[in-house]
Amino acid sequence: MDYARIAGSDRAAESPLPQSPFPQSPSSIAERLDRLSLAPLHIAIVALCTLGLAADIGEVALSNTFSAIFLGAPYHASHGEVSRLLAAVFAGGAVGAPILGWWGDRGGRRMALQGALLVLAAASFAVALSPNIGWMTGFRFVSGLALGAYPPLTAAYLADVLPPKRRGITMMLCASFAFLGAPAVIFLIRWLTPLAPLGIAGWRWALVVGVGISAAVAGLFFLVPESPRWLATRGAAEAAASGLLRIEAGRYLPAPVVSPQRLHRRAEFGGGEIKSGFGVLIGEPKHFKRILLLAALYALAPWATIGFPLLSTQVLVQKGFHLSDSLLFAAVSMFGPTLGIGAVAFLMDRLDRRLALGLCAALMAGLGLAFAVSGSLASLIALGAGFNLAGAVYSAVLSLYGAELFATHLRAFATSGAWGIGRAISILVPIVLLPVLGRYGPLAMFAVIVPALLVSLLLIVAGPPGRTGQPIDERSQ
């Protein structure tokens, strides 16, 4: 019986989903997912992930304005206070990413994503109400718990459910549209700052808007299924089959809740037990080498992908430009990621992942040095947009590359753990780069950034290839 046809029929759309009698092993679920074309429910899942990721990126972009906002009037915070404020969100990410990544492999991708969004909403509201920079720093740490986990969890979830032949373009387009959250937040702050509605600062209103988006997306995730591939590895055969049929049918219905008691710790695949967790990652040489590589790449990336956006507005202030010019630069240059990732997306199902990463690293090194010595606002905006473009493409491809390195039962924890190491290193980025920038200038700051990019380039060349257009399930690992 052709259950794909039944699931797509009008009669199936009006009645409960059928119980599927086909074999429910992880391999059969994975094979059936891999044979699907891009379905309407795939698009819905990508759209939800994109909206949540936009809120996440918008929160990070908000940090990029804090150095310019709080170092000047009326706050006049010290460099130490601002450095701690900027570092707090990354400290939270270092803690939250591996914890929620572990939960993504144990309790479900969708549940972990919803938890991250709700934590972000609650913490952001608390930041908006904070009376001083000290309270803000504490609540930004809590925000970081979610901000550090959401991007790798999104990559793990999308890698699980998307067809191999469209995985690259859809995941890159998700990142492309999500990066619009950055200029949206900065333009919103720039618009609201002189208005100060109800006597409340513009940056506080921007946080409140983000709270609403995060909470709404968390609720909407109930309308899409948990990853059938992940459910199958946990032994939840019927739930996996139900989710698969919903994707085939494009059904926008609340998914049944699978209790933890029904997620068996043992699931048969290839005659053995599917194990997950830290012990598996470090106990098998293949996984150990891959997690070391991914952790190293994530540890090196923040010096460029975080350091430049975080401090570029302050570079302009130091070069003598007004704060409004700096905010305009930040907003305009933030369109670079959307344009760049959107253009590259159409090549990603044909382009080798390592080649894309290497080209981006080299481009960032060149543009960064040119930015450091430039003096005109127009050239700074152009170079900044180019750097942010290359950095965003690098980050998006690295998330895709990392998700393809690991099997389903390890994917969320491995990628989130490596991402968390990157967040831990990100704590040091403002602490190291801001004083260097203040004392020695932009060129000295890039003397720290460029070597990190060159080492990344060497690691990329030595790393394993990605899985462009290929299945991602356990059989291919």
Side-chain angles (χ1 to χ4, degrees):
M1 185 178 293
D2 187 350
Y3 283 91
R5 180 180 58 80
I6 292 175
S9 68
D10 291 338
R11 183 165 58 87
E14 298 172 358
S15 60
L17 290 169
Q19 295 295 316
S20 173
F22 62 78
Q24 305 300 337
S25 69
S27 59
S28 65
I29 292 290
E31 289 167 358
R32 196 172 179 102
L33 280 168
D34 291 340
R35 289 197 301 266
L36 289 176
S37 299
L38 202 62
L41 197 53
H42 284 130
I43 304 301
I45 290 170
V46 172
L48 272 183
C49 288
T50 300
L51 192 56
L53 192 57
D56 183 286
I57 291 171
E59 282 273 356
V60 175
L62 185 62
S63 291
N64 299 345
T65 68
F66 282 167
S67 60
I69 290 173
F70 288 101
L71 287 173
Y75 301 99
H76 297 294
S78 69
H79 278 75
E81 288 176 319
V82 173
S83 294
R84 288 190 291 273
L85 175 63
L86 300 182
V89 71
F90 302 118
V95 176
I99 292 174
L100 285 172
W102 174 85
W103 183 244
D105 278 341
R106 299 291 293 177
R109 318 303 204 207
R110 193 188 63 178
M111 184 181 296
L113 285 166
Q114 288 175 304
L117 288 168
L118 291 175
V119 169
L120 178 59
S124 295
F125 191 66
V127 173
L129 298 178
S130 295
N132 56 54
I133 197 169
W135 281 99
M136 283 184 65
T137 301
F139 287 125
R140 286 296 283 175
F141 173 85
V142 180
S143 295
L145 297 174
L147 292 172
Y150 190 87
L153 285 171
T154 296
Y157 183 40
L158 292 179
D160 279 3
V161 302
L162 290 172
K165 299 297 183 182
R166 295 290 181 267
R167 186 169 62 239
I169 185 173
T170 47
M171 289 181 68
M172 292 295 285
L173 287 176
C174 170
S176 174
F177 286 110
F179 265 100
L180 288 174
V185 165
I186 295 173
F187 273 123
L188 184 63
I189 294 174
R190 191 170 187 269
W191 173 53
L192 290 174
T193 295
L195 298 177
L198 304 178
I200 298 173
W203 60 268
R204 295 183 190 268
W205 283 111
L207 282 163
V208 172
V209 171
V211 168
I213 294 173
S214 298
V217 175
L220 289 172
F221 262 114
F222 280 113
L223 300 180
V224 298
E226 179 57 87
S227 163
R229 196 185 304 264
W230 173 81
L231 286 167
T233 66
R234 301 297 295 163
E238 291 303 317
S242 174
L244 174 60
L245 290 170
R246 289 184 64 214
I247 293 175
E248 292 176 328
R251 299 289 295 277
Y252 302 95
L253 297 174
V257 176
V258 181
S259 66
Q261 291 76 16
R262 291 179 60 191
L263 296 176
H264 307 308
R265 293 188 177 183
R266 299 182 61 88
E268 294 301 321
F269 172 70
E273 181 183 357
I274 298 179
K275 296 181 180 180
S276 62
F278 185 72
V280 177
L281 283 176
I282 65 172
E284 297 184 19
K286 176 180 67 175
H287 297 317
F288 183 61
K289 290 178 182 178
R290 291 183 177 186
I291 193 62
L292 281 181
L293 170 66
L294 193 60
L297 290 175
Y298 273 123
L300 292 166
W303 296 103
T305 60
I306 298 295
F308 180 83
L310 198 65
L311 299 175
S312 55
T313 55
Q314 183 59 23
V315 170
L316 264 73
V317 171
Q318 187 171 337
K319 286 177 177 284
F321 294 97
H322 193 270
L323 175 59
S324 62
D325 292 328
S326 298
L327 291 176
L328 176 63
F329 155 79
V332 172
S333 66
M334 285 295 175
F335 281 108
T338 292
L339 298 175
I341 297 175
V344 173
F346 295 94
L347 302 174
M348 284 313 299
D349 288 315
R350 300 180 181 88
L351 189 65
D352 180 78
R353 313 301 193 212
R354 290 181 303 174
L355 176 60
L357 288 170
L359 290 174
C360 288
L363 186 60
M364 280 189 285
L367 290 173
L369 291 173
F371 183 88
V373 299
S374 179
S376 72
L377 183 60
S379 63
L380 287 167
I381 288 176
L383 292 168
F387 191 102
N388 284 328
L389 184 156
V393 172
Y394 183 90
S395 297
V397 178
L398 185 56
S399 294
L400 175 58
Y401 178 64
E404 292 176 338
L405 289 180
F406 300 95
T408 299
H409 59 290
L410 299 172
R411 187 168 299 127
F413 179 63
T415 54
S416 296
W419 183 280
I421 291 173
R423 298 301 90 179
I425 297 299
S426 298
I427 300 169
L428 300 176
V429 170
I431 294 174
V432 172
L433 292 185
L434 187 58
V436 170
L437 174 62
R439 180 171 296 182
Y440 302 108
L443 198 58
M445 185 180 79
F446 280 96
V448 178
I449 293 174
V450 171
L453 291 169
L454 295 179
V455 174
S456 298
L457 186 57
L458 293 176
L459 291 174
I460 290 163
V461 172
R467 303 199 60 81
T468 304
Q470 301 176 47
I472 201 170
D473 59 272
E474 290 82 355
R475 294 174 289 105
S476 64
Q477 304 296 321

